[in-house]
Amino acid sequence: MAEAIAISLSAKLAVALSRSAALGLSPLFGVRSEIAAAARDLDLLRAFLRFVDSHHGADALAAAWVKQVRDAAFELEDVADECCYLSAHGRAWGWVNVRAWFAVLRQLRKARERLRQLSAAKEHYGIRPAADGPAPAVGAISQMLAESAHFVEKEEIVGFAAHERQLREWVVEDPEPRRTLVSVWGMGGVGKTTLVTRVLKEVATPHFDCDAWVAVSQRFTVDDLLRKIIKELHHGGGDADADYRSRVEAVRRHLKGRRYLVVLDDVWDAHLLDKLRHAFLDDGTGSRVVITTRSRDVANAAAHGRTMMLEPLPWRESWTLFCNVAFKKAPGRSCPSHLQEIAASVLERCRGLPLAIVSVGNILALKDTTEFAWSNVRDSLVWDRSSSDLGIGEAASILNLSIDDLPHHLRTCFLSCSIYPEDFLIKRKILIRMWVAQGFVDDRLDHRTAEDVADDYLDQLVQRSLMQAVVRNEFGRAKRCLVHDLIRELITLRSREEQGFFRFVNCRVTVDSSTRIRNLALDRCEAVDSRSVPKVALLRSFCAFGSELDAAFLSRFRLLTVLNLWFIEMNKLPDSVTNLHNLRYLGIRSTLVEDLPRDLGKLQKLQTLDCKLSMVRRLPSSTTKLKSLRHLILFTRETADFWKAFPGTVVQLPEGLENLTSLQTLKYVQADTETVRSLASLEKMRSLDLSGLDPSLTADLPSSISRMRCLLRLGLEMEPDAVLDLETVTPPPLKLQKLALAGRLAGGKLPSWTSSLTSLTQLRLSGCEIAEDSLLLLAALPRLVNLSLIAAYHGRNMTFARGSFPTLQKLTLQDLPNLDHVVFLQGCLVNLHDLVLALCPELTEIPHGMENLVLLQEFETFGMTTLFVDKLKEQNGDAGFYKPASSEFLRAPRLSRYLRWVGRNN
């Protein structure tokens, strides 16, 4: 992480360098030359900063040195951001603030001198970069835990019965004669090694001629891995001096003609199998190679259909495992009634992670079974690898390996997630916009926006099992995410130390004056005033969730880049917010803010303005001066009750929208003549939602849409008397992925170019009154996943032909008053998982051909006639159409409390 700071700061110094050059400041102040020299100094230290990233305190001297370098880097960052702040208003602003520029120069020289001293100290004390790989202590713990999986008691394996059966079937019963690769993946500590080792012990001897179990580790070499495999196969060390070719040949000789089983435990490199493929013979003996990994990318190397994901245990299995360990000596392994509340609170913190449950259970098994003793343990647990007194450090070390393995850009982004409350469903779009605003994303890439890059970052974190995708969108990407509580506690500790992230929960905020806070998050805190947080002017991000804020507190920010307020009972943002010249993200989502500052246009660097479900009904006219604005999200709540987010109203924009040429997102706004015509200038638009389209506007809209070559999402809502003709959109938005139309279409038809929307995944039609010919346009779309027809079809019959809708996974037919006959022919909707039939009064017969929907998992109905429901019950039973209950995960106690607090996260 120390190296990540250096890289991020180098980028900031480059920006400051360019701005100082634009202002012509170098001849008078020497600022530009000093910034360039500081950037060079920092670059020289980067290699040595890797030391702390790989050792994390294993060397106390190096750790102390890196901490000082980090502080110096923060001072340089202050200088860089101050330069950007002072240059916000161009040349005149820079020349007027002579005193401020001289102060910057003094601070810059001081920081440079400190870097020089630290560089000299490094040489004086002989501090050298470590070899690649985790700290020795961490590697030893990881190896020990992996080896101990061979001796786990049966009682410590809970909740994996189905996984065991499936894995045994893949490894032993599968008749495939070719060598097959099987993968088991999931987050650290979820039980992958334990599961695979248990199956290996049962099947190896009776079903395979030879077997090998090898711990791969985070930083392996192919030669070392081959040596371990030879040792496992020969039960000896082999030739230590042999080269790669000799070792491969040795493995091949031993495996030739044999049915073998090889387990590669904890694989981090997706290309490992390519490096070993010559060693693992494929001679038709039915051999199997099983890998465990934390990465979905690595797991995808397995044969088709041979990938297994392990998730944290649900509550019931977690409780069983905990009792089996903590009360292993008690009759029936049951928890006494007087300890159940304490045990439950401890178990909640484990959040279903078997490694953590077993670690805590083993500690409590040694304690007296009294409330006093158990309460002391509960209150003393620290989920940090340094907390060896209670043995929890082992679990933390395993989880930290996943964090240590992240490249610097992913680690910076991931640590920033520590600001979110427990059990908070993090929304993808908000997260990636904040990452972009904070400068965590490299936006100097061709053909991709910074948001696209950030989206890829998030996907990588999910694939590495560091973030859990609770809800996915139609493209399989995470839509809302959770960070596992144990990992969240780890990144909270690390982000505080390494990035200056501080978070306060349910308290009155007080901070020591010596504490360096750069990113502050408040979660349901009491009234906060400026005196409680010293150095508030140096904050880079401020986020508040359901806290009491004094507007004057916001006026003291200076170098802020992110201001994000949620569930705040504040009616007006102070005018001083417009002096935050470095502000890039302003969020007032789900607040009671009614008015934005009149001079909002002064925020020339603002990229995101998120007012969704605030009480803002109009934007100041200066909004159209925000030349850097990329995302404008508007939707006004109609009540001050946070529990009643909907219905709401869209917002009308001021004149001058055509000036916002950087806009990528515009939601949810009221259409008028000026707005519709201005859209023609917004050629970077990717997501657009317009409401209130009346007959006077529909003529100009097609030409505006046709200029949006990057459009991915489009939502249009017409007035009752309007008819929209989209046939004249030329060229059509061929990149469109999501389309929502509400209102009548010309001729009751979708435009003919709909069939060319080969990227379309989601289509929602409401009140469009289309006929069967329009359905035929949709039937062949190659990527359509979700189709909703709500009061949008006026025909009586609906027949789904063979081969139609090949990728559709969810179909909703709702409020179709004429529909009385539905037929699913064989070979249609071959991927349909969810079917919804609702409010179709004429449909009294169950759709014909339901048996042809071979992958149907959920069939939901509501508002149907009694006759229809009775026939459905008679044919399928109640379970045939009721949706399954929520998963155990969503019924977890703490998540339920959170959902009650924040509703649907808006």
Side-chain angles (χ1 to χ4, degrees):
M1 181 48 62
E3 183 190 9
I5 294 173
I7 294 173
S8 174
L9 179 54
S10 293
K12 282 196 172 187
L13 289 175
V15 173
L17 194 66
S18 63
R19 289 187 176 276
S20 62
L23 291 170
L25 294 170
S26 53
L28 181 60
F29 303 116
V31 172
R32 187 165 183 259
S33 60
E34 288 286 344
I35 291 175
R40 290 194 297 271
D41 293 342
L42 197 61
D43 284 342
L44 292 175
L45 293 173
R46 272 193 199 170
F48 295 93
L49 289 174
R50 295 191 182 101
F51 188 96
V52 77
D53 286 340
S54 62
H55 273 59
H56 291 291
D59 186 311
L61 177 62
W65 177 81
V66 170
K67 183 180 183 302
Q68 294 183 51
V69 174
R70 185 185 296 120
D71 290 342
F74 282 149
E75 291 179 8
L76 276 174
E77 184 182 44
D78 291 342
V79 175
D81 287 341
E82 186 69 21
C83 287
C84 293
Y85 180 88
L86 292 175
S87 62
H89 284 258
R91 184 182 299 273
W93 180 267
W95 286 97
V96 167
N97 287 274
V98 173
R99 179 180 297 178
W101 281 109
F102 272 120
V104 166
L105 184 58
R106 288 194 299 271
Q107 189 179 1
L108 183 55
R109 287 173 175 168
K110 180 181 176 181
R112 280 202 64 208
E113 177 59 29
R114 189 174 179 189
L115 278 179
R116 281 194 292 267
Q117 292 173 356
L118 287 168
S119 183
K122 171 177 62 66
E123 299 299 327
H124 178 73
Y125 292 108
I127 299 173
R128 292 290 181 268
D132 287 342
V138 176
I141 290 173
S142 177
Q143 178 71 21
M144 181 272 292
L145 288 174
E147 296 287 352
S148 66
H150 292 267
F151 311 104
V152 172
E153 299 294 334
K154 183 177 181 180
E155 292 75 13
E156 294 184 21
I157 303 177
V158 175
F160 294 135
H163 296 91
E164 284 187 46
R165 288 193 297 271
Q166 181 66 80
L167 188 57
R168 191 180 296 108
E169 178 183 327
W170 289 348
V171 171
V172 177
E173 300 171 16
D174 185 357
E176 174 58 58
R178 293 176 299 177
R179 181 199 67 211
T180 303
L181 176 63
V182 176
S183 64
V184 179
W185 74 285
M187 65 182 293
V190 79
K192 304 180 296 294
T193 301
T194 301
L195 168 66
V196 172
T197 303
R198 177 175 174 81
V199 173
L200 171 70
K201 289 171 64 176
E202 291 183 356
V203 306
T205 301
H207 297 284
F208 292 89
D209 301 320
C210 58
D211 61 271
W213 183 95
V214 178
V216 177
S217 81
Q218 201 170 3
R219 298 286 188 267
F220 71 93
T221 65
V222 174
D223 282 346
D224 187 50
L225 202 54
L226 287 169
R227 181 182 58 79
K228 290 181 179 180
I229 294 172
I230 293 171
K231 182 178 180 180
E232 282 281 310
L233 293 173
H234 287 282
H235 301 288
D239 186 357
D241 297 324
D243 57 15
Y244 168 77
R245 177 180 174 183
S246 300
R247 286 175 175 160
V248 168
E249 289 178 345
V251 174
R252 290 171 63 91
R253 282 196 302 271
H254 191 84
L255 299 181
K256 185 174 179 60
R258 296 184 173 186
R259 188 186 191 200
Y260 61 85
L261 172 62
V262 175
V263 174
L264 302 176
D265 185 47
D266 203 17
V267 178
W268 297 78
D269 186 349
H271 303 292
L272 173 64
L273 267 296
D274 289 336
K275 299 171 182 177
L276 294 177
R277 63 187 178 89
H278 296 297
F280 294 147
L281 283 172
D282 186 6
D283 50 6
T285 58
S287 297
R288 300 291 180 259
V289 178
V290 182
I291 63 172
T292 70
T293 180
R294 309 180 190 205
S295 168
R296 187 172 68 186
D297 273 350
V298 176
N300 285 340
H304 178 70
R306 294 296 179 265
T307 299
M308 177 184 295
M309 180 184 180
L310 294 191
E311 296 182 299
L313 297 175
W315 179 262
R316 183 178 300 174
E317 282 77 4
S318 296
W319 180 261
T320 300
L321 176 59
F322 175 78
C323 291
N324 284 349
V325 177
F327 303 105
K328 61 182 70 175
K329 298 179 182 179
R333 299 178 184 265
S334 60
C335 178
S337 58
H338 68 282
L339 293 179
Q340 287 187 357
E341 183 177 349
I342 299 174
S345 64
V346 171
L347 192 57
E348 278 187 13
R349 296 189 66 189
C350 298
R351 285 300 294 272
L353 201 65
L355 177 60
I357 295 171
V358 171
S359 297
V360 176
N362 281 326
I363 292 171
L364 292 171
L366 302 176
K367 303 297 179 181
D368 293 334
T369 54
T370 64
E371 292 183 58
F372 177 78
W374 277 50
S375 295
N376 280 342
V377 172
R378 178 193 60 191
D379 298 338
S380 302
L381 288 177
V382 179
W383 300 94
D384 181 15
R385 67 176 123 203
S386 63
S387 58
S388 56
D389 291 345
L390 291 180
I392 305 303
E394 294 180 354
S397 294
I398 296 303
L399 296 176
N400 263 304
L401 285 176
S402 296
I403 303 174
D404 295 340
D405 186 60
L406 293 173
H408 72 86
H409 55 280
L410 291 183
R411 207 178 314 173
T412 302
C413 291
F414 186 48
L415 291 189
S416 73
C417 294
S418 64
I419 66 169
Y420 292 102
E422 293 174 283
D423 305 317
F424 194 86
L425 298 180
I426 306 171
K427 193 167 185 179
R428 175 179 61 92
K429 292 179 182 178
I430 293 176
L431 187 61
I432 65 177
R433 289 167 190 162
M434 289 183 64
W435 285 348
V436 171
Q438 290 172 286
F440 297 161
V441 178
D442 186 355
D443 59 356
R444 294 168 296 175
L445 301 173
D446 295 333
H447 311 302
R448 288 208 299 173
T449 66
E451 288 79 4
D452 287 336
V453 177
D455 204 3
D456 183 59
Y457 287 1
L458 178 57
D459 190 47
Q460 290 183 53
L461 290 172
V462 171
Q463 290 187 24
R464 290 169 178 261
S465 306
L466 288 169
M467 300 186 76
Q468 300 170 340
V470 179
V471 181
R472 293 183 180 271
N473 62 16
E474 290 73 17
F475 314 104
R477 288 186 175 272
K479 187 174 182 180
R480 299 196 180 198
C481 296
L482 272 176
V483 179
H484 190 283
D485 274 7
L486 298 189
I487 292 181
R488 184 180 158 280
E489 291 196 36
L490 294 177
I491 65 173
T492 297
L493 291 169
R494 293 180 63 163
S495 64
R496 175 176 294 194
E497 173 190 350
E498 300 171 8
Q499 291 279 33
F501 277 92
F502 280 75
R503 184 172 163 274
F504 296 88
V505 184
N506 286 324
C507 65
R508 180 176 290 276
V509 180
T510 56
V511 181
D512 185 87
S513 60
S514 63
T515 303
R516 183 187 293 273
I517 297 181
R518 306 184 78 75
N519 306 277
L520 179 62
L522 307 180
D523 178 8
R524 291 160 286 174
C525 289
E526 299 179 22
V528 180
D529 60 38
S530 56
R531 293 170 295 181
S532 63
V533 184
K535 301 180 183 179
V536 70
L538 298 180
L539 281 180
R540 295 314 194 277
S541 69
F542 177 69
C543 301
F545 305 87
S547 300
E548 299 177 24
L549 291 181
D550 180 356
F553 180 70
L554 304 181
S555 67
R556 293 199 52 202
F557 299 147
R558 180 177 175 84
L559 301 181
L560 206 68
T561 57
V562 169
L563 175 58
N564 196 13
L565 308 178
W566 284 51
F567 300 98
I568 303 297
E569 297 183 8
M570 179 185 293
N571 295 324
K572 188 179 187 300
L573 284 179
D575 292 338
S576 58
V577 167
T578 62
N579 293 325
L580 305 178
H581 303 308
N582 288 354
L583 196 66
R584 291 175 172 82
Y585 187 103
L586 176 56
I588 54 171
R589 180 176 286 233
S590 296
T591 67
L592 302 186
V593 173
E594 298 176 0
D595 297 307
L596 295 172
R598 184 180 61 181
D599 293 330
L600 191 70
K602 291 169 60 178
L603 301 176
Q604 287 296 294
K605 297 175 187 174
L606 193 67
Q607 298 173 354
T608 297
L609 177 57
D610 187 347
C611 302
K612 185 177 180 181
L613 292 172
S614 70
M615 301 195 76
V616 172
R617 299 188 179 279
R618 62 181 61 84
L619 295 177
S621 58
S622 65
T623 303
T624 56
K625 297 179 181 179
L626 299 173
K627 299 293 184 65
S628 300
L629 196 65
R630 301 184 185 194
H631 310 284
L632 179 56
I633 303 100
L634 305 165
F635 193 69
T636 303
R637 63 169 56 251
E638 292 186 345
T639 172
D641 186 352
F642 285 137
W643 295 103
K644 297 180 180 178
F646 299 96
T649 58
V650 294
V651 178
Q652 191 164 1
L653 299 177
E655 294 183 2
L657 178 64
E658 66 276 5
N659 297 324
L660 304 182
T661 54
S662 296
L663 265 187
Q664 299 176 20
T665 305
L666 182 60
K667 303 166 75 169
Y668 300 86
V669 300
Q670 176 69 34
D672 58 29
T673 302
E674 183 66 28
T675 297
V676 171
R677 290 177 179 173
S678 297
L679 290 174
S681 302
L682 310 184
E683 297 185 8
K684 295 181 180 179
M685 189 67 69
R686 294 160 68 89
S687 181
L688 173 65
D689 274 273
L690 288 177
S691 294
L693 290 164
D694 61 33
S696 66
L697 306 176
T698 54
D700 293 321
L701 185 62
S703 61
S704 294
I705 293 176
S706 66
R707 297 178 64 88
M708 299 177 183
R709 306 295 176 86
C710 301
L711 197 63
L712 301 178
R713 291 169 287 276
L714 176 63
L716 302 174
E717 182 181 355
M718 281 77 78
E719 291 293 323
D721 57 344
V723 176
L724 184 62
D725 186 0
L726 293 174
E727 190 65 46
T728 57
V729 177
T730 307
L734 296 180
K735 295 182 179 180
L736 208 61
Q737 298 173 350
K738 294 184 179 182
L739 176 61
L741 301 176
R744 290 188 295 160
L745 298 176
K749 294 183 178 181
L750 289 168
S752 59
W753 48 259
T754 303
S755 59
S756 64
L757 299 180
T758 55
S759 296
L760 194 68
T761 63
Q762 179 173 310
L763 176 62
R764 178 185 174 91
L765 302 178
S766 178
C768 297
E769 299 183 0
I770 63 171
E772 196 163 8
D773 55 349
S774 288
L775 280 184
L776 294 176
L777 289 177
L778 305 175
L781 291 180
R783 296 185 181 178
L784 190 63
V785 172
N786 191 332
L787 173 62
S788 296
L789 301 177
I790 303 173
Y793 184 78
H794 62 72
R796 299 180 62 85
N797 299 317
M798 188 177 289
T799 300
F800 293 88
R802 181 183 182 87
S804 63
F805 298 97
T807 58
L808 200 67
Q809 296 180 14
K810 182 172 183 178
L811 173 64
T812 300
L813 304 176
Q814 179 177 327
D815 198 12
L816 307 180
N818 300 325
L819 187 66
D820 63 10
H821 191 66
V822 178
V823 178
F824 298 111
L825 297 179
Q826 187 176 13
C828 75
L829 299 164
V830 292
N831 282 293
L832 193 71
H833 295 163
D834 303 306
L835 174 63
V836 179
L837 281 178
L839 300 170
C840 300
E842 297 298 317
L843 188 62
T844 58
E845 296 289 337
I846 301 171
H848 294 285
M850 288 286 293
E851 67 279 2
N852 294 324
L853 304 180
V854 292
L855 295 183
L856 190 65
Q857 298 173 2
E858 296 182 2
F859 181 15
E860 180 184 3
T861 68
F862 61 89
M864 299 297 287
T865 64
T866 303
L867 182 58
F868 179 92
V869 173
D870 288 343
K871 289 182 179 180
L872 193 58
K873 285 183 178 181
E874 180 182 346
Q875 178 171 319
N876 296 305
D878 290 351
F881 67 96
Y882 288 126
K883 294 181 71 174
S886 300
S887 67
E888 289 285 344
F889 177 71
L890 292 179
R891 291 202 298 268
R894 285 165 61 197
L895 186 57
S896 297
R897 289 202 298 271
Y898 163 71
L899 291 173
R900 289 197 297 270
W901 171 58
V902 82
R904 290 177 175 263
N905 263 350
N906 302 318

